[in-house]
Amino acid sequence: MAELNQSQFEAVSSLEGPYLIIAGAGSGKTRTLVYRVARLVESGYEPSSILLLTFTRKAAREMMSRAELLLDKRCAKIQGGTFHSFANVILRKYAKAAGLGHNFTILDQSDSEDVVNLLRTQLKLGSEAKRFPKKETLFKIYSLAVNTGREIPDIVGDEYPQFVNDLETITFLRDSYTEYKRQNNLLDYDDLIVKLRDFLFDLSPAAKNLLNTINFVMVDEYQDTNKLQSQVVAALTQLRDNIMVVGDDQQSIYAFRGADYKNILQFPDQFPGTRIIKLEENYRSTQSILNFANRVQEAAIFKFDKQLYTQNGSGDVPVIVAAPNDNMQSKFIVNKILELREEGVPLEDMAVLFRSSYFSFDLEIELAKANIPYIKVGGIKFIESAHIKDLLAFLRVALNPTDVVSFYRILLLHGGIGPKSAQKMIDEVTSGKFDLSKSEMINGETTLYKKLPELYEVLYRLHNKKETPVEKAQVALEYYLPLFFENYDDYNKRRKDLDVFINICQKYDTLEEFLTDIAIEPPVDSVTDVEEESDQDEYLTLSTIHSAKGLEWHTVFIINVIDGFFPSVRAFESIETLEEERRLMYVAVTRAKRNLFVTYPIRIFSREEGMTISKLSRFLNNITTDHAEGWLYE
Ligand code: ATP
Ligand code: MG
């Protein structure tokens, strides 16, 4: 009671029934969930009967360890994670009842795209058409359909009208993709959620069994769930509706991935008898920062009448800093960081946020020069880089020799093996003629055995010999290295990543665990930072705004706040995308506790126009001298 306000306390002490907590940024939504977990455990509920769903696994881990600090070790035993990681755990455990082969492989987004591409080539689809959607677009259409419940023709009609004539082919390819995954025991991200939902809705004895072990369900950041996820929530609460969701409609920033903030608004209809708790007071920021945030939000087209307020005092006014160019912007930030550190603000209490991951490239160099350690979150992931995918392909085949997508990838690395002969070898895999589980004798007749005997040997060993993941990774690496040098001109830059990869393997006992883990949530976000993270305990955070949600820092810098960068040019397309981008600005601003610096370079370079003069982001149009100081850094 001493540490919560009245509404928070009401939520924390609640037991049965549906609850919706809808409240502004920094009002203690996440904190409320943490306290509720601790409180439920303290009241004697079985920890494993509490399910806490969060947007990232890291968020879940942090919330659990905070609950642990509040109460005791029992809080570490609750079930916490993302929808995807939870689905994975359940489907592995109940594979049979859910109609799945055991040991299924998970396709991450780029794997899924590769499969779609492979099928497209195999089926000779769209080859003569002048314009046929790219694999990324195709996959996006399929995924949106699953996540939003919209039909493919609607999505194509609305968002890709140029491909309406290809509808039949697009749909056919989707069906082939579905069939392909079924045959090869593959699940993509969306399948994880779909299969979980269907398994639960079936209410088989196994499903009932599971549902009986789950007493309380809680979901953070509910504004960024999609329709499919809201169905999972419904499925999870069929036997008991002890469900609490928390969120803020003003912070919905994942519509581009199918999230629907209406989920949160419609929650009371979905769960009759919902008690709605509003948290009004902000505990995170100073009033000056909140005034700034309120001004950003007031200009929104879809208006909400929430105004953030706090008793934290007014604090320093946010600063809008103009620098002559990109590099001077970086220098300002470096200097300010050094100054603040001098004043006693630890590095980990500061963050630099940006709309797009590449905005920070110049800054990263300046930080390195100044010896300021940092980690970077969001953007291109380590695990998505081509050479890491290559190495992974070996391990995937080791675990699942019929994973032909990975097989295909490995084959194409070899000089002299083109799509055609690779396809021939793949056909032998699919037809069962080539099988790593069979003896060398039987495989002796296959094309792969004859053409690439060394590769054969390595794969055979990887699949059959009992070794730890790191031992296998080393075997694969040894074989891969010459191919690596051959395939990448910039191998110097990439080489270090391979060592990092081996390092990561070291943490795992089984290959399955390792592959699942990196498919579901890559363990590292950026290569260069892995070591920094491990031997530095103090570091600055660089993050995309998308990856910063729910977090907070003493000092926040938002960089490149220029029209065309933030909002990005692509956001100009529609009011919806522009408004989503505005909410993104709102999310960024509300991360700051004490200091907010919004920075931009006056001159920018574009390839088309050369040097041009930038224009401050339209999202700051409403900001007057009452709400921010203007600095020029020269
Ligand atoms: P977001 O919308 O950004 O996810 P949130 O609503 O989840 O924010 P929290 O992160 O839970 O907010 O809380 C913001 C900050 O305010 C945290 O540092 C939290 O510890 C603090 N806080 C919340 N409620 C209280 C309270 N009653 N007393 C003191 N501090 C509080
Ligand atoms: Mg939160």
Side-chain angles (χ1 to χ4, degrees), residues 157-175:
D158 284 352
E159 290 171 40
Y160 305 97
Q162 70 271 37
F163 298 129
V164 177
N165 290 334
D166 297 315
L167 257 178
E168 215 172 300
T169 322
I170 293 174
T171 314
F172 179 73
L173 188 55
R174 197 272 314 265
D175 297 342

Side-chain angles (χ1 to χ4, degrees), residues 28-31 220-221 246 284 549-551 591:
K29 297 182 294 298
T30 302
R31 178 179 167 112
D220 199 2
E221 308 274 6
V246 315
R284 175 179 295 149
K549 71 182 207 164
L551 305 178
R591 299 307 97 203

